[in-house]
Amino acid sequence: MSADRIPVMIPWLGEEEARAASEAVLSGWVAQGPRVAAFERAFAEWVGAEHAVAVSSCTTALHLSLVALGLGPGDEVVVPSLSFIATANAVRYVGAEPVFADVDPATGNLTTVTVDAVRTPRTKVVLAVHQGGVPADVHTLRAACADWDLRLVEDAACAIGSTVGGKPVGHGALIAAWSFHPRKLVTTGEGGMVTTDDAQWAARLRRLREHGMNASAAERHASNKPVLESYLEVGFNYRMTDVQAAIGLVQLGKLDAMIARRRELAARYDALLQDVPGLTPVRDPAHGQSNFQSYWVLLDEDFPVGRDDLLTALAEAGVSARRGIMAAHLEPAYADHPRAPLPVTERITRDSLILPLFHTMTEAQQDRVVTALREQARR
């Protein structure tokens, strides 16, 4: 990428993360160990959850969550198609069937109305996504799921630092899954987390991430006596390393500043774009606040150029925007998957794009993005 090209995202990584990773390497303990445990405690405290279980990605976090809930063949899980494909794939990993529901046009999230339209007697779980950091109305969804005798799992991959009703996303969740991919606010390169208030589920998740062992490597190392571990069930190798966790601890310490800066930039985008015709920017919902992991705009159907042509024009102007959120049901992997009509999902995925937003973004860079959009709006 040329020096003057504006990227869509730059992770906030620096010398402090480098020192933390180096210290982990020099400690001699680079696999899952004490830094992972410290990261779990810090993350749980940030979210307001009783337990946090570090894993290798948000995809594996979702997979383990559904395993812990006992999902299997014959079960259905209501999911938004408007999400990264891993959300639906995790359902298939356990042999269950994803049932695609439509979303709210303003937030891109599931609602009680869209879930109710597709749930069946086989439905066991609703898997709600806090899309792009915009919080879903989980208080309403939790109440509805309780009435329907369903469990609500939250895909909070993008939502660390977003709030619902003044509380962090994940607070009070049955189970929530998180991502530390470089596109997220807190990154460990790759990595994920599961949070829950249920001690038994947390204990089982810890076993499942480590081949089903009843004693972790850290526990065996800490013991003064030989520990002969047992493998209680078929598990997985979904562990996080101490090198990743060391970076994550530093990142978590920056989170308040990250959120404040992203919200400041999002507010400036709002002000600059308010008189650009044909664009509807993402907003905070009435029930919460976004961390603005992504700042996307929806094009009116009469916008002078199509979304893909607009992406090309922005690229020619040195702006690296991205297509909006994908729709899983439009991908070849789900081409033959039965579904109800999803008009809002298809409208958002066809006509939205994500604009550059990162903590070091300057006003001059933001002005360039808006100028390029204005030029296309005038065509």
Side-chain angles (χ1 to χ4, degrees), residues 137-223:
D137 186 0
V138 290
H139 291 162
T140 303
L141 283 168
R142 289 172 190 171
C145 285
D147 290 341
W148 297 329
D149 195 25
L150 301 178
R151 287 168 162 168
L152 180 68
V153 175
E154 299 179 33
D155 181 341
C158 300
I160 181 64
S162 299
T163 63
V164 179
K167 299 287 187 180
V169 162
H171 185 274
L174 185 74
I175 296 182
W178 308 82
S179 173
F180 305 128
H181 182 272
R183 282 286 307 275
K184 309 307 188 287
L185 272 69
V186 171
T187 183
T188 58
E190 288 284 359
M193 192 79 75
V194 184
T195 56
T196 181
D197 290 339
D198 190 295
Q200 290 186 332
W201 282 348
R204 188 174 179 219
L205 289 164
R206 294 183 196 285
R207 291 196 303 269
L208 286 168
R209 73 176 172 186
E210 198 165 7
H211 304 286
M213 281 194 292
N214 66 340
S216 69
E219 290 168 338
R220 286 178 287 151
H221 180 78
S223 176

Side-chain angles (χ1 to χ4, degrees), residues 273-288:
L273 293 172
Q274 64 181 347
D275 62 346
V276 180
L279 297 179
T280 302
V282 61
R283 307 282 191 191
D284 282 332
H287 55 264

